[in-house]
């Protein structure tokens, strides 16, 4: 795959119109590919001497556990996302990273990041934008768990995933492939798997969307957006701000 066609370049290109030298630097970030099986943590909370990764294919979740053994999934990462970038800058990893599916990811050392940002400050701006967008998503997830009901919360989250996947060429307004189980959605949305099952059935019976056989289908996109009060502005997908 040419570097300009990679999910990372598609994503960062939404904020910065990337030049050939910047594409060359991003290409080098794909120079250390690795494969990881599903269900085995890539990064452990408290781990030191870590690497960051650029996710090329597959899905990953970031999560924290509590003393009683419960798990809160903070977010899911999709192709084009950085994995463990914050943990790379901290002395120790502050969360776990687990592949949901088998993934292909390129290892990125902190020395490569600093060198790339020194040579191409606009790339640092693009990565800062990506990190800021991730923070905006965490804010929305907090609002969902605190104030949205189960239907609104589930619809908002699945619409957000669709927007993120569309940005990197893996989704459309009609839907997208999704490997998440109801248990994973439950851990992300603060609901039980039984509750998730009921909500998905209600949304399907209302003719709004369906999630079956590994695919999310939007049947009435506008009505689903209205139900979830989903405003795409926080994802900032309107095109490059830096030309």
């Amino acid at each position: 795959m040419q570097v300009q066609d990679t999910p990372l370049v598609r994503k960062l290109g939404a904020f910065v119109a990337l030049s050939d030298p910047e594409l060359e630097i991003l290409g080098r970030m794909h120079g250390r590919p690795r494969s990881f099986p599903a269900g085995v943590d890539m990064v452990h909370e408290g781990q030191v001497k870590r690497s960051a990764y650029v996710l090329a294919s597959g899905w990953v979740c970031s999560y924290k556990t509590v003393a009683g053994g419960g798990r809160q999934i903070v977010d899911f990462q999709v192709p084009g996302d950085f994995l463990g970038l914050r943990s790379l800058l901290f002395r120790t990893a502050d969360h776990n990273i687990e592949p949901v599916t088998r993934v292909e990811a390129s290892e990125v050392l902190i020395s490569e990041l600093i060198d790339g940002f020194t040579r191409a400050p606009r790339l640092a701006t693009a990565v800062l934008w990506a990190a800021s967008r991730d923070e905006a998503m965490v804010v929305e997830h907090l609002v969902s768990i605190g104030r949205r009901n189960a239907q609104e919360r589930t619809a908002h989250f699945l619409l957000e995933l669709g927007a993120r996947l569309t940005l990197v060429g893996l989704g459309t307004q009609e839907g997208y492939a999704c490997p998440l189980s109801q248990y994973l959605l439950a851990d992300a949305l603060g609901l039980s798997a039984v509750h998730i099952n009921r909500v998905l059935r209600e949304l399907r019976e209302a003719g709004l969307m369906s999630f079956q056989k590994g695919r999310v289908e939007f049947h009435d996109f506008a009505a689903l957006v209205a139900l979830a009060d989903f405003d795409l502005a926080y994802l900032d997908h309107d095109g490059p701000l830096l030309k």
Side-chain angles (χ1 to χ4, degrees):
M1 181 185 293
Q2 297 294 315
V3 65
Q4 59 267 26
D5 297 323
T6 61
L8 176 63
V9 169
R10 285 175 178 262
K11 176 180 173 180
L12 296 184
F15 187 73
V16 173
L18 297 167
S19 66
D20 288 342
E22 290 161 346
L23 289 172
E24 181 182 349
I25 292 171
L26 289 174
R28 286 200 289 274
M29 289 186 184
H30 289 80
R32 201 176 291 105
R34 295 183 60 185
S35 298
F36 297 89
V40 179
D41 283 350
M42 299 168 62
V43 175
H44 302 272
E45 185 175 355
Q47 184 178 340
V48 298
K49 296 182 180 179
R50 303 146 322 283
S51 295
Y53 300 91
V54 174
L55 186 57
S57 66
W59 288 49
V60 171
C61 70
S62 300
Y63 71 94
K64 292 181 74 76
T65 56
V66 294
R71 177 171 77 163
Q72 177 66 48
I73 291 179
V74 179
D75 201 3
F76 296 100
Q77 282 71 46
V78 298
D81 288 345
F82 277 101
L83 309 177
L85 186 59
R86 184 173 73 254
S87 296
L88 188 66
L89 300 174
F90 289 177
R91 288 184 174 87
T92 59
D94 66 341
H95 62 281
N96 305 283
I97 299 175
E98 176 188 320
V100 173
T101 67
R102 183 173 183 82
V103 304
E104 303 291 330
S106 294
E107 185 179 18
V108 181
L109 305 179
I110 190 168
S111 57
E112 293 174 324
L113 280 175
I114 293 174
D115 178 66
F117 293 165
T118 301
R119 295 172 53 204
R122 284 159 46 99
L123 272 186
T125 302
V127 173
L128 176 62
W129 164 81
S132 298
R133 193 194 70 152
D134 290 347
E135 182 180 354
M137 289 192 296
V138 170
V139 170
E140 285 295 328
H141 299 169
L142 178 61
V143 172
S144 283
I145 290 175
R147 293 299 177 186
R148 293 185 176 115
N149 66 36
Q151 278 196 2
E152 294 164 348
R153 191 183 310 182
T154 303
H156 195 283
F157 192 73
L158 294 174
L159 284 165
E160 179 186 274
L161 280 174
R164 293 170 62 191
L165 290 163
T166 297
L167 181 66
V168 296
L170 297 174
T172 69
Q173 206 169 87
E174 284 70 49
Y176 53 92
C178 182
L180 304 181
S181 68
Q182 293 180 7
Y183 292 100
L184 288 169
L185 283 176
D187 283 349
L189 298 177
L191 301 168
S192 69
V194 171
H195 202 168
I196 288 287
N197 182 274
R198 183 166 68 250
V199 168
L200 291 175
R201 184 179 69 249
E202 291 168 351
L203 293 173
R204 183 176 67 251
E205 290 175 349
L208 298 177
M209 60 153 290
S210 59
F211 183 9
Q212 296 175 312
K213 298 179 180 179
R215 184 164 182 83
V216 172
E217 296 281 358
F218 298 132
H219 304 308
D220 190 336
F221 188 81
L224 193 66
V225 166
L227 169 70
D229 192 24
F230 182 72
D231 184 353
L232 192 62
Y234 76 97
L235 294 174
D236 198 17
H237 288 179
D238 291 334
L241 296 179
L242 295 182
K243 307 293 185 180

